[in-house]
Amino acid sequence: MATVSGKQGVGQRGKIRRGEVSIQKHRWGNMMKKKTKNPSGKTVSKTEIGRRDFIKIAGGASVFMIVPRHVLGGPAYVSPSDKLNIAAVGVNGKGKTDIREVAHENIYALCDIDDHKMAATLEEDWTAGFRDKARKYRDYRAMLDNEPEIDAVLISTPDHMHSPIATHAMAMGKHVYVQKPLTHTVAEARLLAMRARENNVVTQMGNQGHAEEGARLINEWVADGLLGTVTEVHCWTNRPVWPQGIARPAGSDPVPATMDWDLWLGAAPHRPYLQGRYHAFNWRGWRDFGTGVVGDMGAHIIDHPYWALDLDLPSRISASSTRWGRDFESFPLASKIHFEFPAKGRRPAVKMTWYDGGLLPERPQMIENGRQMGDNDGGVLIVGTRNTLMHGVYGRDPHLIPETKNLEYQKPAPTMARSPGIYQEWIDAIKDRSKVTTSSFEYAARLTETMLLGNIALLREGERAVLEYDGANMRFTNDEAANAYLEKDYRPGFGLV
């Protein structure tokens, strides 16, 4: 029986339970790393990169002992007057954006499996303040194990590595910011929320629209009763903009000396390196690494009606799509997913439909001819008995349709606190624990679970059945085969803590 390793460390076996749910299928392998001493006498892992490849050996470190602040105040303690020591795993693409947005703090350590990507990021002007000072690593495990002064960690890797890195960091008392989607599996989403509570760390998922003005307007307008009774929601996107619906390519290419392919694969089963096929962007369409379109964009689109209507977990899910890649290795080019959310409090049951790959909902009768639905990347229709609200991706530009209705509406006074931004929320909450993040793992895990249930419905669409989901116990009640997709196995050395 597969298990989750306990807090005692590698090799300790035990079950993690949430309610009646046993999350068992997580494995740790041996994470032994050969270590050596640098000229200053500091023990470092040999997975740490050399100085010529943008490594900093601590030759300028003090020769006297200073008691670290984490010893004085506990592993998650940061004085409000201090700058956070922030580490980043993944420095390219969205990872680069994440680092730039928190660069007013102390960028303490950087980790990426690709030296070229590391170098390219550090060549940008805005990195001058930490370019030479930040410790550089290829292996996140070595970074976390060797740098106790890290306060908080940004995680911007392919989806399949979010949870191994986040659980490792949280077990060490580090605050974590994880790019969307939060996890690769449903079981991981449950586990990350639980680990955040257990370790009392500040968490945030990187769905930036959640912190924007549009998200708050949508919540306030729905709460104002503007729409009447809502029972129908439509969400869509133009994605994918990467390869999907294809078979695994044959052959292999030599792995460049400037990257570590084994570390990139991480928790995923081994496969040969192929230039440009997976790293650095095209991984999203492959099930071993990504979560397809609903995983990529659902956190920016489903998020807003999900939050405003307090939808929680669906009880019934079904789907249809174009063909999957051979052996279900890559996601379909286009899909349609139906979610049914049970009634909650005074809100009746809600049906939500997701469309991607160019599919769109039927145009509402009240929308003006020639008017675009949503924006260029997608959108949402929240359909009520009185009015219909339309908005774009990230919750931007919310409007009633038609425009005459929107112009007539007397907007209510703001009732929700405005956000300083998705990143600053996280930083502020770390320094002042009376503050909170609005996309913490407590919320983000449920949103992510909902999106990933849609992917399972796509995998089971050939059975021509509606999946019945028991959210309290994290199981499908009418399709035992579907339950196998709620969790996964991990390569030794890259499991969950």
Side-chain angles (χ1 to χ4, degrees):
M1 178 175 63
T3 60
V4 182
S5 60
K7 281 190 175 181
Q8 298 88 346
V10 178
Q12 299 296 321
R13 299 168 67 86
K15 295 180 182 178
I16 303 299
R17 292 188 178 272
R18 186 176 188 272
E20 297 297 318
V21 182
S22 176
I23 305 173
Q24 302 174 12
K25 196 178 287 185
H26 310 304
R27 297 176 180 171
W28 266 94
N30 191 342
M31 283 173 47
M32 297 298 293
K33 299 181 287 293
K34 186 174 180 180
K35 295 187 176 182
T36 185
K37 289 190 176 182
N38 65 27
S40 69
K42 179 183 176 183
T43 299
V44 297
S45 166
K46 283 207 170 181
T47 53
E48 192 173 353
I49 315 168
R51 182 176 177 86
R52 291 183 181 179
D53 294 316
F54 294 96
I55 293 295
K56 183 174 191 285
I57 299 299
S62 298
V63 295
F64 54 89
M65 180 65 69
I66 298 176
V67 178
R69 60 182 170 177
H70 74 272
V71 173
L72 295 173
Y77 172 78
V78 177
S79 169
S81 62
D82 284 345
K83 285 192 173 185
L84 299 177
N85 287 337
I86 296 179
V89 185
V91 305
N92 183 51
K94 192 60 182 170
K96 184 192 301 184
T97 302
D98 292 347
I99 298 165
R100 185 169 61 242
E101 291 293 330
V102 301
H104 55 286
E105 300 294 321
N106 182 34
I107 305 302
Y108 187 87
L110 300 170
C111 179
D112 201 287
I113 60 89
D114 189 325
D115 301 351
H116 280 320
K117 302 298 184 187
M118 178 81 80
T121 293
L122 290 175
E123 285 174 358
E124 299 201 9
D125 291 343
W126 59 271
T127 68
F130 59 85
R131 182 181 299 137
D132 296 324
K133 294 187 298 182
R135 283 81 165 158
K136 283 68 169 194
Y137 288 85
R138 280 185 175 179
D139 191 328
Y140 73 92
R141 300 165 300 184
M143 181 185 73
L144 292 171
D145 292 344
N146 289 333
E147 303 291 352
E149 285 294 286
I150 293 170
D151 296 314
V153 183
L154 301 166
I155 300 169
S156 187
T157 64
D159 302 345
H160 73 296
M161 287 303 295
H162 287 182
S163 295
I165 301 168
T167 54
H168 192 144
M170 287 192 290
M172 302 180 79
K174 314 301 182 188
H175 309 285
V176 288
Y177 180 105
V178 179
Q179 263 305 326
K180 54 78 193 168
L182 183 62
T183 63
H184 199 220
T185 71
V186 167
E188 288 177 345
R190 298 269 177 127
L191 182 64
L192 260 61
M194 182 168 66
R195 288 288 187 257
R197 292 191 298 271
E198 290 174 346
N199 292 288
N200 192 29
V201 293
V202 177
T203 61
Q204 186 87 299
M205 183 174 74
N207 53 334
Q208 62 268 29
H210 196 82
E212 294 184 4
E213 178 68 9
R216 278 139 188 81
L217 292 177
I218 293 164
N219 272 271
E220 289 167 348
W221 295 0
V222 169
D224 190 45
L226 165 68
L227 304 184
T229 300
V230 175
T231 59
E232 179 185 348
V233 177
H234 300 273
C235 306
W236 66 94
T237 181
N238 65 339
R239 304 309 199 265
V241 291
W242 52 79
Q244 286 193 181
I246 57 176
R248 182 191 296 203
S252 64
D253 293 323
V255 178
T258 53
M259 70 173 293
D260 192 317
W261 178 240
D262 188 68
L263 288 176
W264 189 91
L265 287 171
H270 186 270
R271 69 173 66 196
Y273 172 77
L274 282 166
Q275 178 69 34
R277 292 301 185 98
Y278 310 113
H279 174 67
F281 177 73
N282 289 332
W283 52 267
R284 287 197 182 277
W286 299 95
R287 276 185 57 224
D288 276 354
F289 313 123
T291 50
V293 175
V294 71
D296 177 55
M297 294 300 290
H300 296 317
I301 299 173
I302 294 175
D303 176 33
H304 305 286
Y306 190 86
W307 190 16
L309 297 171
D310 191 19
L311 291 181
D312 213 337
L313 296 174
S315 57
R316 291 165 56 88
I317 315 101
S318 60
S320 59
S321 74
T322 56
R323 288 185 179 182
W324 282 76
R326 184 182 302 167
D327 298 324
F328 294 93
E329 287 219 40
S330 65
F331 289 93
L333 282 172
S335 66
K336 188 175 180 180
I337 306 171
H338 305 277
F339 301 92
E340 297 181 33
F341 298 89
K344 184 177 181 180
R346 298 175 62 184
R347 173 184 57 71
V350 174
K351 291 185 177 181
M352 174 189 289
T353 305
W354 168 267
Y355 313 77
D356 61 45
L359 301 179
L360 290 169
E362 182 179 359
R363 288 181 66 86
Q365 289 184 351
M366 73 282 291
I367 194 170
E368 299 89 342
N369 284 335
R371 182 176 180 180
Q372 182 181 32
M373 292 202 304
D375 58 31
N376 290 336
D377 294 318
V380 170
L381 291 169
I382 305 176
V383 182
T385 53
R386 293 176 55 197
N387 287 296
T388 294
L389 189 155
M390 182 173 73
H391 67 76
V393 176
Y394 310 106
R396 291 173 183 164
D397 196 28
H399 273 71
L400 297 184
I401 54 172
E403 185 61 21
T404 53
K405 285 277 190 179
N406 191 65
L407 293 173
E408 292 169 1
Y409 177 47
Q410 297 297 311
K411 311 298 190 294
T415 57
M416 298 180 68
R418 267 39 188 176
S419 171
I422 199 81
Y423 300 94
Q424 196 62 43
E425 272 188 17
W426 180 59
I427 290 169
D428 290 348
I430 293 171
K431 294 184 178 184
D432 180 354
R433 298 303 290 271
S434 69
K435 298 181 178 180
V436 296
T437 55
T438 55
S439 195
S440 71
F441 290 0
E442 197 67 32
Y443 171 83
R446 295 194 302 274
L447 174 60
T448 300
E449 179 169 341
T450 297
M451 299 185 310
L452 298 180
L453 291 172
N455 278 340
I456 296 174
L458 285 170
L459 285 162
R460 299 297 293 162
E461 65 176 299
E463 302 304 310
R464 300 175 180 84
V466 176
L467 296 178
E468 305 278 353
Y469 189 61
D470 176 3
N473 293 298
M474 200 186 82
R475 65 182 299 270
F476 296 102
T477 58
N478 65 337
D479 188 341
E480 192 57 39
N483 286 318
Y485 296 116
L486 294 169
E487 49 190 0
K488 67 178 185 180
D489 291 320
Y490 300 82
R491 275 206 309 150
F494 298 96
L496 308 179
V497 179

